[in-house]
Amino acid sequence: TKEDLKKKLDKIDGKGYKAYKDLEGEYEFEKFILHIDHVQGDPFASLSRIRIRVPQNIADFEFSMYNNPSRQVALEDFLTRSVFDVIKMLPSLKGTGHSGDIYIDKGGQQIIKRSAMVVNEDYVEARLSIGLPAFGRRINGSGAQRIFLEFLPQIVEKGLLKKHLNIQDIWLWVETVEDQDYLRSQLKKRGLVAFVADGAILPRESGISDRPLKGGNVVPFESPDSLRIKFQLPNRGEITGMGIPEGVTLIVGGGYHGKSTLLQAIQKGVYNHIPGDGREFVITVADAVKIRAEDGRRIEKVDISPFINNLPNNVDTTRFTTENASGSTSQAANIIEAIEIGTSLLLLDEDTSATNFMIRDARMQKLIAKKEEPITPFIDRVKQLYKDNGISTILVMGGSGDYFDVANCVIKMHNYRPYDVTQEAKEIAKEFKTNREVEGNNEPIVIKPRIPLKKGLEVKGKKIKSKDEDTIRFGYQEIELDYVEQLVDKSQTNAIGEIIRYIASKYVDEKSSIKEILKKVYKDIYEKGLDVVSSFYGKHPGNLALPRLQEVAAALNRLRSFTVK
Ligand code: ADP
Ligand code: MG
């Protein structure tokens, strides 16, 4: 019980830091059970991990606040943020190293399933990290008593009990997330790949902040009449906005008129966003993948031949391997890998694409014969991708009108407002022929799934650990994820590291493809929760947020030791 904890703390006060280890265990408090799962070795080591479990009859959330997966994630997210806010208000205990730190892994602007909070019919459980307080290397027992006996009960009282929370805000969270998931689930039925609500705020505060841009100059989104559609949402009711149809869509317009901002909002639209973000109802099909050039990345036996053929030195492009990809080969590999794992929408921006991968105009075709040019540009594949593979594309292209010939829909951004210029673009395409020859062949793109080998996933040296949002340390190697743009949370990166470890120990049988393996992982997660991939399953699992299949595959594909059959 709580009294046992107090006794232990009295006893170890002033002793060497290692004596804190005695605390590991379970303690019953009035309104919750405290699990001290892991105690740090010294005040500078990574924080100690605890769980606070409040029985549901005390927390008292109505079942309807979490009775489906959308609502559950929403309530968990809400409570994580509410605990975070309570922690912020606590007095700070200063001391050596991380003394007195109390941390919960709150998300950013997205609402993603995370390990920080679990809500179910039996309990509400918050997973916290704590810096056990010290003076020098000695235990600050009274500090620890304040944290455990004073702060934790406050966190529970103000952060986890329904009666002290703002019920309206809880419902706002729950209903908004449910509406977002519902809208996303309806896109395909309506022949759409993305939806941008009227009134949405797309621009962000800065290049390093994901928060909405504020101020009088922000232009809320307003859909063009011809593309405006309505949805009937379960909670919010009717909503209108721009529907982007399946097929090939171009976003054109002058420089600085908001093209990339629109595309970036769409690429994040695979996730749900918190109320007030401005992108709550910018919703994209869940499997959309941003494609960009990424020279320098590694490629492991990827069939890039639909885009690249006849390289110098007779390099085989059906099993293309390189330690140092070029702009165009990396972009081709990114597309093929996305198709391999499954996608229905590719997102490309001229700003981050390789020019020679995107276009090859008539003049260049005259000067450099097709047999001298290994690349079949994207313009000659994009229609086929939709026709044969059912994969749509949204492409930002302000610099070349050649794409008018292959687009189904052309949206012009002007002063941050969209206009439907499809008809105009079609007429221009008729009047001004590009005179370019269509390149490539008409063979459908068929991808043979690759089968990972065990040896490529052995960790040599230290363990797997994420260093920051964009880097996973994998033994002596580092997986660079800087250009995997739809990875949005450091804890997703953490989770990817754990998932790679999990599949290496469990599912790499040298018979299953990458996709088959990942399907098994997601089935486990669906059945047993996100914690299942953690090496501390059953305890505080670390700070994890659910990544998409696409980002896990992206990490495998960028692991330099990764090998396939
Ligand atoms: P483009 O890709 O067309 O060159 P960007 O999308 O990069 O243009 O946008 C240029 C600038 O305009 C950015 O700083 C962006 O934050 C800002 N911006 C984009 N959309 C809006 C908007 N709706 N209201 C106000 N500013 C915006
Ligand atoms: Mg741009």
Side-chain angles (χ1 to χ4, degrees):
T1 65
K2 175 176 141 188
E3 278 64 42
D4 301 326
L5 180 61
K6 187 174 174 351
K7 266 183 224 148
K8 279 192 194 174
L9 288 169
D10 284 335
K11 212 172 83 190
I12 61 175
D13 186 27
K15 288 198 178 156
Y17 202 85
K18 287 270 182 280
Y20 263 140
K21 280 277 176 206
D22 270 2
L23 298 186
E24 284 180 2
E26 228 182 277
Y27 305 92
E28 219 180 297
F29 283 59
E30 218 176 305
K31 294 188 177 166
F32 61 94
I33 297 173
L34 166 67
H35 296 262
I36 303 182
D37 287 331
H38 167 76
V39 169
Q40 66 208 100
D42 68 75
F44 297 91
S46 43
L47 303 181
S48 302
R49 290 176 178 184
I50 67 165
R51 288 174 293 135
I52 302 174
R53 183 178 286 196
V54 186
Q56 188 59 270
N57 62 342
I58 295 177
D60 196 31
F61 294 98
E62 279 129 71
F63 186 48
S64 55
M65 287 174 169
Y66 58 92
N67 65 356
N68 65 39
S70 305
R71 291 179 175 214
Q72 188 182 18
V73 171
L75 180 60
E76 288 169 351
D77 181 88
F78 183 88
L79 294 176
T80 307
R81 291 173 202 267
S82 109
V83 166
F84 182 89
D85 290 343
V86 178
I87 292 172
K88 229 172 34 191
M89 305 307 289
L90 292 170
S92 88
L93 292 175
K94 290 256 178 299
T96 322
H98 302 302
S99 279
D101 286 0
I102 304 178
Y103 177 81
I104 190 159
D105 182 39
K106 174 180 79 89
Q109 296 298 104
Q110 287 76 28
I111 296 182
I112 309 175
K113 182 91 186 165
R114 51 204 316 127
S115 62
M117 188 71 63
V118 178
V119 176
N120 59 36
E121 279 176 90
D122 300 324
Y123 56 79
V124 171
E125 185 175 283
R127 282 83 179 268
L128 273 62
S129 304
I130 286 187
L132 294 172
F135 296 125
R137 308 249 162 208
R138 309 246 146 240
I139 287 174
N140 168 6
S142 65
Q145 298 215 12
R146 281 197 79 189
I147 291 179
F148 287 120
L149 307 176
E150 188 183 322
F151 296 172
L152 294 191
Q154 270 188 55
I155 288 171
V156 169
E157 200 64 37
K158 295 188 198 152
L160 292 173
L161 305 189
K162 190 189 80 180
K163 63 176 178 193
H164 292 142
L165 293 168
N166 184 330
I167 305 294
Q168 252 177 326
D169 280 354
I170 297 179
W171 282 114
L172 175 66
W173 239 251
V174 166
E175 292 184 343
T176 304
V177 170
E178 189 173 58
D179 281 347
Q180 296 179 44
D181 282 339
Y182 173 82
L183 213 168
R184 195 174 289 105
S185 77
Q186 296 300 303
L187 289 173
K188 286 212 167 122
K189 276 177 224 165
R190 299 276 293 266
L192 304 174
V193 290
F195 174 83
V196 184
D198 289 321
I201 304 297
L202 309 188
R204 299 293 99 187
E205 210 167 56
S206 75
I208 51 163
S209 164
D210 200 29
R211 280 203 245 263
L213 183 64
K214 293 205 171 72
N217 294 328
V218 177
V219 180
F221 192 82
E222 198 188 313
S223 52
D225 291 341
S226 57
L227 294 172
R228 181 172 300 136
I229 55 160
K230 273 185 203 160
F231 275 101
Q232 204 59 40
L233 301 178
N235 304 304
R236 173 192 248 259
E238 185 177 297
I239 189 169
T240 63
M242 180 173 82
I244 299 184
E246 287 182 359
V248 178
T249 298
L250 288 192
I251 300 172
V252 301
Y256 222 69
H257 278 269
K259 302 184 296 298
S260 296
T261 302
L262 173 58
L263 192 81
Q264 280 156 14
I266 291 170
Q267 78 192 45
K268 297 268 176 82
V270 301
Y271 298 111
N272 294 332
H273 288 91
I274 55 171
D277 173 82
R279 298 168 298 183
E280 295 93 309
F281 293 101
V282 180
I283 303 286
T284 307
V285 287
D287 60 0
V289 178
K290 174 69 179 283
I291 299 294
R292 55 172 295 161
E294 194 181 342
D295 47 311
R297 65 158 283 194
R298 180 170 183 270
I299 297 173
E300 165 70 8
K301 300 196 186 82
V302 175
D303 180 3
I304 57 169
S305 66
F307 293 103
I308 305 196
N309 265 304
N310 307 323
L311 287 177
N313 300 329
N314 287 322
V315 173
D316 181 7
T317 58
T318 64
R319 282 164 69 78
F320 185 72
T321 301
T322 179
E323 292 300 324
N324 188 6
S326 65
S328 57
T329 52
S330 62
Q331 198 159 352
N334 285 346
I335 291 177
I336 300 296
E337 288 166 350
I339 301 173
E340 177 185 36
I341 211 75
T343 183
S344 57
L345 176 65
L346 303 177
L347 303 167
L348 288 84
D349 191 328
E350 59 184 349
D351 293 350
T352 50
S353 290
T355 307
N356 60 345
F357 182 78
M358 300 307 291
I359 49 177
R360 200 163 110 80
D361 68 7
R363 285 183 168 177
M364 198 54 81
Q365 286 181 328
K366 283 267 166 343
L367 186 65
I368 310 292
K370 175 61 198 148
K371 62 177 194 302
E372 296 172 48
E373 171 56 88
I375 303 173
T376 300
F378 190 66
I379 188 171
D380 291 323
R381 286 289 187 198
V382 67
K383 268 165 85 176
Q384 221 181 343
L385 273 173
Y386 180 58
K387 210 166 64 44
D388 298 336
N389 302 70
I391 300 172
S392 300
T393 295
I394 302 175
L395 170 62
V396 170
M397 183 56 86
S400 164
D402 284 6
Y403 271 88
F404 294 174
D405 288 325
V406 295
N408 307 110
C409 178
V410 184
I411 297 164
K412 169 178 150 183
M413 293 303 288
H414 183 71
N415 289 331
Y416 313 130
R417 287 201 171 81
Y419 298 85
D420 181 356
V421 294
T422 310
Q423 281 319 314
E424 241 179 298
K426 288 288 166 201
E427 276 153 32
I428 291 167
K430 244 188 250 159
E431 194 178 339
F432 301 92
K433 298 271 178 240
T434 65
N435 292 322
R436 63 183 299 281
E437 313 249 331
V438 174
E439 299 180 353
N441 54 37
N442 280 322
E443 280 167 46
I445 299 176
V446 181
I447 286 146
K448 229 175 106 213
R450 292 171 302 156
I451 296 171
L453 296 178
K454 282 199 172 116
K455 65 168 192 220
L457 292 172
E458 276 164 21
V459 193
K460 301 195 179 70
K462 283 188 243 137
K463 36 183 189 182
I464 306 174
K465 201 173 186 310
S466 71
K467 231 174 77 175
D468 52 50
E469 185 177 318
D470 298 320
T471 319
I472 298 173
R473 210 171 27 225
F474 187 90
Y476 295 126
Q477 314 175 57
E478 277 184 357
I479 310 176
E480 294 289 350
L481 301 170
D482 305 51
Y483 294 133
V484 181
E485 293 183 14
Q486 288 165 295
L487 192 61
V488 294
D489 194 304
K490 181 180 185 300
S491 300
Q492 282 183 312
T493 314
N494 259 334
I496 291 174
E498 293 285 346
I499 289 173
I500 294 179
R501 194 194 45 74
Y502 183 76
I503 63 177
S505 68
K506 215 171 157 175
Y507 288 136
V508 179
D509 55 9
E510 313 209 336
K511 290 195 286 284
S512 312
S513 68
I514 303 171
K515 187 174 177 177
E516 287 165 343
I517 291 171
L518 291 180
K519 290 272 179 210
K520 289 179 200 166
V521 175
Y522 280 83
K523 186 164 175 281
D524 290 353
I525 292 175
Y526 185 76
E527 286 168 1
K528 297 180 187 152
L530 179 54
D531 294 6
V532 74
V533 300
S534 164
S535 26
F536 302 101
Y537 183 44
K539 296 183 176 175
H540 186 318
N543 299 321
L544 310 175
L546 187 65
R548 297 188 308 160
L549 207 84
Q550 281 77 11
E551 277 66 53
V552 182
L556 284 172
N557 284 321
R558 282 158 186 76
L559 173 63
R560 290 198 176 255
S561 64
F562 185 60
T563 42
V564 299
K565 246 188 195 161

